[in-house]
Amino acid sequence: MTKEKINGKSHGKYWKLEPIMHPKSVAIIGASNNPDKVGHVIMQNYIDAGYDGKIYPVNISSDGSIMGFKSYKSVTEIKLGIDLAVIAIPAQAVPGVLEECGKAGTKGVIIVSGGFAEVGETKLQDMIAEIANRYTMPVIGPNCLGVMDPRSRIDTLFLPTFKIDKPTIGGVSFASQSGAVGSSILDMIDDEGFGMARFISYGNAAVVDETDILNYLAEDIDTKVIVLYMEGVKRGKEFIEVAKRASLKKPIVVIKGGVTEAGAGAAHSHTAALAGSYEAYEAVFRQYGFTIAKDIKDLLNYAKIFETQPLTTGNRVAIITNGGGTGVLATDALYKNGLVLPELSETSKKELRKVMPPIVNIRMPLDMAGDADDTRFSAALARMEEDPNVDAVMAIALFQTPGADSRVAASLIHYGTQMKKPLVVVSMGGSYTQAHKRMIESSGVPVYASPGEAADALAALISYSRYLKVKGVRGKGD
Amino acid sequence: MTKEKINGKSHGKYWKLEPIMHPKSVAIIGASNNPDKVGHVIMQNYIDAGYDGKIYPVNISSDGSIMGFKSYKSVTEIKLGIDLAVIAIPAQAVPGVLEECGKAGTKGVIIVSGGFAEVGETKLQDMIAEIANRYTMPVIGPNCLGVMDPRSRIDTLFLPTFKIDKPTIGGVSFASQSGAVGSSILDMIDDEGFGMARFISYGNAAVVDETDILNYLAEDIDTKVIVLYMEGVKRGKEFIEVAKRASLKKPIVVIKGGVTEAGAGAAHSHTAALAGSYEAYEAVFRQYGFTIAKDIKDLLNYAKIFETQPLTTGNRVAIITNGGGTGVLATDALYKNGLVLPELSETSKKELRKVMPPIVNIRMPLDMAGDADDTRFSAALARMEEDPNVDAVMAIALFQTPGADSRVAASLIHYGTQMKKPLVVVSMGGSYTQAHKRMIESSGVPVYASPGEAADALAALISYSRYLKVKGVRGKGD
């Protein structure tokens, strides 16, 4: 199928996803009044989200009305034409319906139904690809959750809305071969205090694949950071071409499923992906400046620093802390990541000596003592902002201590949003700490639950900044 | 000081900490009516906790009453004698007061005051050690938070109570050279759903050191798991002797601050610890079956599996999941940790085929599909419990999916508490997921926020089980 698509004259190398991401009208094929049906959940999502385009429920056994909307037996009955068709019907019936979509001039399709290559039904999947190519009609799926876009309010996810915290609007786009990984991430995004641009769960990638999606997200103006979960790449050469171009435009964070032989076997059973040698993937990722995540939680840790903080190629990270031991662990974490503590300027030393109590040693890491309050935090942050020897700042604010309160949070927010150097916060603890973490993150300053995670994130930011510099591209703040 | 103590005839090699952990009476030296004073906060902690021993506030400038209690100018005035004295006064005044404690026959002392070796005042610290040894009086500190014990209700932590979630009673004991690391962990314990036995922040370790504490916790019946944060070891030979003995009795999780050269420098400035070569430490930790944590959050991840789950020396970990991609990542995580997927028994395959829908491939990892409900989870868990080829289970329950609800949580709790094999749960997400995580963890089944963390924890459990087996010790469930 791949070959046909590449050779397809009509749509070039990469599928255009605009009709899928910003449709003016949507047909939901498999829509139903029965709330247990996937088509019902998807209809409800569109209604709940306040989607302002036309909605056409389609069901072969419909009697003219579904969920209060005029319904159709086939897309071919819809006279005005449709931008997007979402297909949620049994696998065997999909090719016939897809053919109808083609005849009706549908501009893009999402097939959420499973039961294709992932269960050995490769012929059925090949039929889909053939139809899509013949009509030059981009198709996402099958065996996927589809897409979500908080701006255009499209949402084909057939997940109960009360189980997922809705993400706010932001700059992180997430493309996932796996619906499960995708929905977990989606659910965690809100808690991490940053916002989403596009969410694309693409499943078996019978037609539109990871390369098409990366190509789309690279050009998408709302997308500032691209996060990918992939189990395999269908078109190696094209992926590299797009990866090279995309990573010069915005940071790309990737996690690959099927890194071990056993994992690759599981991936094949999951989305019929041919995982290939991980070493080859890793080499490509590294060559093109991707940030490689080793675990799901790392995706969010990396995404949030890239979304909010300026780039820097310098690796001198100042640590200011109200907890000595945490400062020690943070120092270890920096050096393990190839980062270093700065030698503070003489001016900084002099100024800090004036404002810190005698018990505070004026050195790095700056342990401001367990009773440090917002005055000490602000004074230290102001110095780090000015000091030419400091490239980035890790501020450890342990809210268990007597002096740490919302004024400390406000100080971190002020410097973390104004400063031209990256600032990350480390805070760990229970409910009092979590309340402050949310306050700080919702203002656009990333908070990490351990010094190790904060150091990893800073290292990723610096590494990507250096990649851009070597390539002759200047990033924001660099 | 070290030498004097080792040679001290009167108290043997290791300080007895019983009078400090279970005192029948407490003198708080530096107690005050002024709520900004550390001594006030400590008094208030004892009152709030419902401590049922005698409380004696001591302050040189007291007028006979502090916070409603009869007060004293010196411990020597207290006629009935005291078990524990908590000292919270300026550093310069500490030696004189400690001498008085010795004269008054005080059985143990905690010095929370800072201003000793960590700021270069080594002489002052040496005076403390000399007095403690002369009177055979165990002293914890200086420059520490002291101790907390939810059973005996002692609490010398001078941290505002509204900022810290109180831990429940349980089996994890935490000893920390750093007060900051200690209080963060303390604050996170409740959220992780497991309970605490003893908390000991020991600071500069002028008298009682990490070896004494490890020796105490090894014998302590309430302590099931020992967690240590240390920046250095004062007595290498004795530490090894105790480590060897302790790790045969209970699992020990350790994180070392000052692993890098820069970190070691920071540690010296923090608690005047001589960090030494980390390679040497690591060799000792590994030789005696310690679990080495690389980041603060790992401490809790390891502690909770050790507190709740049975041991096993087998490394065949079954994965059951309601999310395919997460199963792929979990498989990768297992193999990266030297663990493997089991080959299910023929009986298991037959039984699972009967209960799972056709779309489910009967293989490992067992992807039960996105609509898996409690029936599927229970059927799979029952088979994993029976199957002789399965040593441990990782259950991935993504609560974003339609079938995952409180009944799935109940099923996980049932098997995770009854089964003779270790079970860990992986769930990640927002508020709906967090509610279920708490439900499961408070019942004694550990939940991890990523497949990687769950695999790390299982690997640690299996590694420790194997250590015990090699040493000829049988652990529970092994």
Side-chain angles (χ1 to χ4, degrees), chain A residues 163 165 187 295 404 431 450, chain B residues 163 165 187 295 400 404 431 450:
Chain A
K163 292 188 170 186
D165 294 345
D187 191 16
D295 204 353
S431 45
S450 73
Chain B
K163 292 188 170 186
D165 294 346
D187 191 17
D295 204 353
Q400 293 84 20
S431 45
S450 75

Side-chain angles (χ1 to χ4, degrees), chain A residues 11-12 14-20 107 138 208 212 215-216:
Chain A
H11 60 82
Y14 310 112
W15 288 103
K16 304 270 179 292
L17 303 184
E18 206 48 39
I20 294 177
K107 291 180 189 157
V208 169
D212 299 306
N215 181 59
Y216 167 76

Side-chain angles (χ1 to χ4, degrees), chain B residues 14 43 116 141 159 173 176 179 197 203-204 261 276 286 311 332 340 349-350 390 431 437 470-471:
Chain B
Y14 310 112
M43 272 290 287
F116 295 86
L159 299 169
S173 283
S176 178
N204 291 5
E261 202 180 318
R286 292 206 186 283
L311 296 174
D332 284 337
V340 299
K349 286 181 190 168
K350 236 180 283 171
V390 172
S431 45
K437 171 183 145 62
V470 167
K471 297 292 170 190

Side-chain angles (χ1 to χ4, degrees), chain B residues 288-319:
Chain B
Y288 297 109
F290 285 32
T291 298
I292 302 173
K294 297 220 184 307
D295 204 353
I296 294 182
K297 66 182 176 358
D298 300 338
L299 293 174
L300 296 170
N301 283 339
Y302 292 133
K304 66 187 180 185
I305 192 170
F306 280 121
E307 196 201 8
T308 60
Q309 297 301 302
L311 296 174
T312 181
T313 55
N315 70 339
R316 297 166 303 176
V317 180
I319 296 174

